[in-house]
Amino acid sequence: MNAPEVVPQGYRAVLGLEQYVKSNVEHTVLELVKLRASMLNGCAFCVDMHSRDALGAGESSRRLFAVAAWREAPFFDERERTALALTDAVTRLGDHGVPDDVWDAAAKVWSEKELADLVLAIATINVWNRLAVTMRTEPPAQV
């Protein structure tokens, strides 16, 4: 299914949110968040797209590969780590929501607006992942 053709107004609404977070979340962190959520959600299309986007923007392949095991990898600073932890918690949202320790750690290093924008970014990539996985969107064979 091609969502932009079938539901163009809905697709544009999600795209508007995407444009907002792109303008309000630090690019490096945004790409790490997008990649991590996409990995957790098993979205091959988004993993492919966001890893290529990050590489194109100068991110190292070593850091990108380490996103899969970010807790053990020494390559991420405190803000990136709290963003990745929050991404894990929001993406895997369980019965008890985001754990207090994850939220409190993020709130210590992100301003209130930055944190709100980060949550919007995590929510947005989760929407994209759910659309792509559900509609069976595959990565391009060649780029």
Side-chain angles (χ1 to χ4, degrees):
M1 177 181 295
N2 186 331
E5 288 179 9
V6 178
V7 287
Q9 189 175 4
Y11 185 84
R12 282 192 303 273
V14 179
L15 193 55
L17 191 52
E18 175 68 27
Q19 291 166 340
Y20 173 84
V21 297
K22 263 186 172 174
S23 297
N24 288 280
V25 177
E26 179 186 329
H27 179 75
T28 299
V29 170
L30 183 58
E31 289 303 331
L32 294 175
V33 163
K34 288 178 178 183
L35 183 58
R36 180 61 182 169
S38 298
M39 287 175 172
L40 294 173
N41 288 323
C43 184
F45 178 84
C46 292
V47 167
D48 176 69
M49 178 173 58
H50 296 302
S51 59
R52 285 187 291 109
D53 287 351
L55 284 170
E59 184 60 81
S60 76
S61 58
R62 192 172 188 203
R63 276 176 37 103
L64 292 178
F65 294 143
V67 168
W70 69 266
R71 291 182 196 283
E72 290 78 29
F75 312 124
F76 306 103
D77 66 26
E78 186 178 15
R79 283 172 60 92
E80 292 167 338
R81 287 184 172 286
T82 60
L84 289 166
L86 190 60
T87 300
D88 284 7
V90 172
T91 301
R92 293 177 169 155
L93 199 58
D95 292 341
H96 304 289
V98 174
D100 289 342
D101 63 324
V102 172
W103 183 262
D104 293 343
K108 285 181 185 174
V109 296
W110 296 89
S111 73
E112 188 173 41
K113 180 175 183 324
E114 289 174 325
L115 191 52
D117 286 337
L118 185 57
V119 171
L120 282 174
I122 296 165
T124 302
I125 188 57
N126 274 280
V127 169
W128 287 126
N129 290 164
R130 280 152 179 75
L131 291 171
V133 170
T134 302
M135 296 180 187
R136 292 167 172 71
T137 307
E138 294 182 353
Q142 295 186 5
V143 289

